[in-house]
Amino acid sequence: MSAKKKLEFNRKQKLLKRRQQKLTSYYKNRSKTNTEYTYTITKEATKKREYRAKKAGKKEKENTRKRNYRQAMKSKHITQNTLEDRDIFKNVFNNRTTKHRAIKRLKNALPRTPKRRSATLAAYLQHTKSPAVEILRQAEVVSSPEDLMNMSIEKAALEDIKTAIESCKTKRSKDSFLSMNVLVASISGEKITETRCRKNLAKKLGLPVRRLSRGNRNRTTILKSEKSCWAYVCRKTRKDALSEETKRLAYNFWMKPGISRPTDVTLCNKEDQVHKIACLKRDCGECGVNKLELLTEETDDLDTAQIVKWEKFEKVDIKVKGNKTIKKLVLVKKETKAVELFSHFLELLKSFPLHQHRATWQKQTIPNITY
Ligand SMILES: [Zn+2]
């Protein structure tokens, strides 16, 4: 058939189709009288009206579809990371049209009803020997039997961890605090960070995200150090503030025989192995910080006084991520007359005995509280 004849044939076909449509429409609406119509019913007007209605309907439908899609994505927290992004399926087709045609061919080849379609596809995807199915499994588009098994194991494990956490979370004993830390540290590692699913995991376990992040920090910093994770989590140490050496130096100094403790010097003698509460609160008339005798070099405020280097803890504003500032306790270097150091020391000594007494008491008592 030549091109010209083909064109004529097509035109004729179109005309016939249109005539058929008109006829059906005529028979369908034959019983209606003209009074039922309020619109102009000229051929042109009807045609235009139909066209407009069709266009509006199409637009509305498309808008609804887009809106629904966006909402679904939002609720699922899915970024539009579709199959196209997977390397394995990249550049398989030359262009989108070829791909579209291929999909269309597949659709046409499949049975009509959704049930039969899905049954056919499911049966096809169970073909373990098919290379295409193998690729799909590798790309995790469909799950292999092993994947399904793993998934059920993971689900069960997660449930069990959740139960364990639930029971530890509410208890305040030292043991449950420890096991809680170990639990959290064990499920929050490099893989979770890598796959960026910490938020979802936290939601699944019913924990705040910050809790998991802390677990991760414990794990990454402590598991790699010589001290074990267990030793670290049992007590939060201020490793930012004091080095091990400084701590040891201070400890050795105060444990030396013959050292009179400034706390003991400025308090009355103990009764029943504890100081009187009035002394601790510095309400006692018999004792006080003025009982601590200082040397003249330590109280000298003259211009000739010796300058000493010392450090003191101060709360300092520190800039962190996200343009925020936080207060952090840091050692600040000072270079002043000795008198300034000692007046600061006396100031601390005023409140220290009560603070220490309270801390010791809490440390002894709190872990032994039972509900
Ligand atoms: Zn006293």
Side-chain angles (χ1 to χ4, degrees), residues 267-268 276 279 284 286-287:
L267 293 166
C268 295
K276 279 186 290 181
C279 303
C284 175
E286 306 279 302
C287 60

Side-chain angles (χ1 to χ4, degrees), residues 1 17 42 46 57 66 109 113 118 153 177 211 220 243 246 282 302 315 318 338 350:
M1 208 188 280
K17 201 178 159 192
T42 57
T46 328
K66 274 184 186 168
T113 63
S118 50
I153 292 171
F177 180 69
R211 193 81 173 76
T220 44
S243 72
T246 322
R282 299 290 188 205
L302 298 171
K315 285 216 164 155
I318 283 176
K350 262 186 206 165

Side-chain angles (χ1 to χ4, degrees), residues 143-158:
S143 329
S144 63
E146 299 96 84
D147 287 344
L148 288 176
M149 174 123 86
N150 285 345
M151 253 146 73
S152 64
I153 292 171
E154 281 152 22
K155 215 172 151 190
L158 207 62

